Amino acid sequence: MNKKKKLAMPDTLIIVASVVLLVAILAWIIPSGTYDYQQMDINGRTRNVAIDGTYHIIDKSEVSTTGFLGFFSVLYRGCVEAADVIFMILCCCGTFGIVVKTGAFHAGIGTILKKLKGKEILLVPIIMMVFGLGGSVFGMASEFYGFYPLIVGLGVALAYDAMFGFAIIAVGEFVGFMGATLNPYSVGIAQTIAGVELYSGTWYRAICFLVFMAISIAYVMLYGRKIRKNPSASVVLGEKNIHAFDRAELDGYTFTKKDGLVLLDVLAVLVILMIGLIKWGWDFPELCGLFLLMSMIAAAISGWSPNKWCKEFVDSAKTALWGCLLTGVAKAITVVMQDAQIMDTVIYALSNLLKNAPHALSAQFMLVVQTVINFFIPSATGQASATMPIMAQLADIIGVSRQTAVLAFQFGDGLSNIFWPTADIVIICGLGGISLQKWYKWFAPLFLILFASQAVLLGIATAIGF
């Protein structure tokens, strides 16, 4: 008997490229248009901010819509446009690959697991809260890219699966970013543009952060409990992850003074980085420079030669190739929209819908709008600059406070960062060796739960006059 061939799921690259094609087709249909922009000094940086009421249509003959050949060339252009992110990914993976190969992380985690003695699940809330606070307070996201291979491998080593480890870091940092308390890239910029006192309302955002993190931690731990009881319930059953390592590897390490110095090196660099991001406005160049220095110091502590550092750095960076390609292809989606100038048209159309929204659900409709817009503008600073001037004015019209409008923005921007293929999820799936379709299968229920929680918390904010 001839066995029926099982339908193969498309690779994540194919899925993302298909989205590029769909957007390229829509770019011919959606009218082109733009707002006028003005330069504003926002928290020490000059940014282009949209001017409410200035939207105007642009004839298609004046823009560059993507044709047949253009579709293929835009994939190249996406990689070029994302060159800064791609190099930063290579730098992070090369750097943290070296730190991991020194054995310091394995020795540290192995020591902690021995002390926990069967209570390893307690690591989940601890690690998730650490990453969550980094996103919530400091707006850290790409700074954690180098940790993905380690945490994904840890999930496997603890006798769970790669998705479990991936969820610990991905959900932790991005739900924390969504539940921003002092995040300068979302709350700081949005409040400044909306004319709200900087970092006011932190108490309520802190409550939101704790609610979101509690839900997320419980979801991840319940999944871990389920697959521990029934390994066949794993969403990545039968798939070998490139970052997997065995628990015996952890037990074979002994924590030494050298390991302590390497971890101190990492901690010191992260502290300096956080100060630089907030106080001096550092970005990818400084991040990469600092990480390169960190890896060299770690290698020196371990007694490596310069040649060994080069070899291990390149070998570690190679593991990020898939993630780099995904990043470039995903960036092509934004390039297509920018060429056709349809982003502002979407913002204009959605803002008009808000004017007719039922008053009792105005905040929730604003959340939906910001979530949709994040597909088109996946950058927190970019979305705030493009939408908050319009949303702040709309908030006055529809009877929602500007503070609540900022809250709707940070919710809509944050959660969909690990949902829309134009945002960070494509990058981190590549880093973690997780297919996008498997991620959606695992994350979709949690996304709906968190989205419903956002709507409830916005409703409470409206009711209490936040």
Side-chain angles (χ1 to χ4, degrees):
M1 293 179 63
N2 293 325
K3 294 183 178 180
K4 293 182 177 179
K5 291 184 178 180
K6 187 177 180 180
L7 184 64
M9 290 295 293
D11 188 89
T12 303
L13 272 170
I14 297 174
I15 293 174
V16 177
S18 299
V19 176
V20 179
L21 178 60
L22 176 62
V23 173
I25 294 171
L26 291 175
W28 287 87
I29 302 170
I30 299 174
S32 300
T34 184
Y35 285 95
D36 291 335
Y37 285 79
Q38 62 180 342
Q39 288 190 336
M40 286 181 59
D41 182 275
I42 301 174
N43 303 331
R45 285 195 180 187
T46 301
R47 301 186 185 276
N48 290 320
V49 178
I51 302 174
D52 186 33
T54 61
Y55 175 81
H56 53 279
I57 294 289
I58 301 175
D59 191 87
K60 286 293 183 184
S61 63
E62 299 179 28
V63 300
S64 300
T65 43
T66 303
F68 177 74
L69 181 59
F71 167 72
F72 295 97
S73 63
V74 81
L75 301 179
Y76 159 80
R77 291 177 58 207
C79 291
V80 172
E81 289 286 331
D84 57 343
V85 179
I86 289 172
F87 185 81
M88 184 269 300
I89 293 171
L90 292 172
C91 184
C92 285
C93 287
T95 293
F96 280 89
I98 285 176
V99 174
V100 168
K101 288 175 182 178
T102 64
F105 276 131
H106 288 76
I109 293 173
T111 301
I112 293 172
L113 292 179
K114 288 174 185 176
K115 292 183 178 181
L116 289 175
K117 295 179 180 178
K119 298 179 181 178
E120 298 92 344
I121 195 69
L122 295 177
L123 282 175
V124 175
I126 296 172
I127 296 175
M128 288 185 70
M129 282 299 294
V130 168
F131 285 119
L133 285 169
S136 177
V137 178
F138 303 106
M140 298 178 74
S142 55
E143 293 80 7
F144 291 138
Y145 284 171
F147 287 97
Y148 275 85
L150 176 69
I151 306 300
V152 170
L154 178 63
V156 178
L158 293 178
Y160 293 100
D161 66 5
M163 183 63 78
F164 181 77
F166 183 77
I168 289 174
I169 179 170
V171 175
E173 68 163 315
F174 283 101
V175 168
F177 194 97
M178 172 188 73
T181 49
L182 302 173
N183 185 335
Y185 304 107
S186 57
V187 175
I189 292 177
Q191 286 188 329
T192 301
I193 294 174
V196 176
E197 182 183 350
L198 188 61
Y199 297 130
S200 58
T202 301
W203 66 272
Y204 189 73
R205 293 196 303 277
I207 293 173
C208 295
F209 168 78
L210 292 174
V211 170
F212 295 143
M213 290 302 298
I215 292 170
S216 301
I217 290 170
Y219 188 87
V220 173
M221 293 179 72
L222 285 172
Y223 174 72
R225 181 181 177 185
K226 181 173 71 172
I227 61 174
R228 178 64 69 87
K229 288 184 177 179
N230 179 20
S232 63
S234 169
V235 297
V236 290
L237 182 66
E239 296 184 7
K240 176 68 175 176
N241 189 275
I242 59 174
H243 305 303
F245 58 85
D246 193 83
R247 173 65 183 270
E249 291 184 49
L250 296 176
D251 295 334
Y253 284 88
T254 302
F255 195 79
T256 64
K257 181 180 179 180
K258 178 203 73 174
D259 298 322
L261 289 174
V262 170
L263 294 181
L264 183 61
D265 171 37
V266 175
L267 179 61
V269 165
L270 291 177
V271 170
I272 294 170
L273 178 61
M274 285 188 288
I275 295 172
L277 291 171
I278 295 171
K279 190 173 181 179
W280 300 310
W282 283 1
D283 211 328
F284 288 167
E286 294 81 9
L287 182 150
C288 289
L290 205 55
F291 277 6
L292 285 172
L293 181 61
M294 178 179 76
S295 68
M296 292 175 184
I297 294 173
I301 292 171
S302 300
W304 291 9
S305 68
N307 283 349
K308 182 174 174 60
W309 177 88
C310 290
K311 179 182 181 302
E312 297 297 348
F313 185 91
V314 173
D315 286 346
S316 298
K318 286 178 183 177
T319 64
L321 177 60
W322 189 53
C324 290
L325 288 173
L326 281 174
T327 302
V329 174
K331 184 65 175 180
I333 301 171
T334 305
V335 173
V336 169
M337 293 186 292
Q338 288 174 337
D339 284 351
Q341 295 196 43
I342 60 173
M343 291 182 177
D344 285 4
T345 299
V346 174
I347 296 172
Y348 177 72
L350 291 173
S351 63
N352 280 339
L353 286 177
L354 275 175
K355 293 178 181 178
N356 300 317
H359 177 72
L361 299 175
S362 294
Q364 286 78 6
F365 271 82
M366 193 169 281
L367 168 64
V368 174
V369 166
Q370 292 287 14
T371 301
V372 172
I373 290 174
N374 200 46
F375 175 90
F376 298 90
I377 311 176
S379 162
T381 55
Q383 187 176 344
S385 299
T387 66
M388 285 316 300
I390 293 93
M391 294 302 169
Q393 296 293 329
L394 275 173
D396 297 337
I397 295 171
I398 62 181
V400 174
S401 73
R402 294 193 174 195
Q403 188 79 269
T404 301
V406 171
L407 197 65
F409 155 73
Q410 75 175 70
F411 287 176
D413 165 71
L415 182 57
S416 54
N417 279 329
I418 45 175
F419 189 80
W420 294 132
T422 51
D424 297 74
I425 186 57
V426 171
I427 300 173
I428 61 176
C429 274
L431 293 174
I434 299 292
S435 69
L436 195 59
Q437 54 268 46
K438 291 296 178 66
W439 167 252
Y440 283 142
K441 180 179 180 180
W442 184 90
F443 181 65
L446 179 58
F447 177 86
L448 294 175
I449 293 169
L450 289 172
F451 190 82
S453 302
Q454 289 177 331
V456 171
L457 288 167
L458 281 171
I460 294 173
T462 303
I464 65 175
F466 176 69

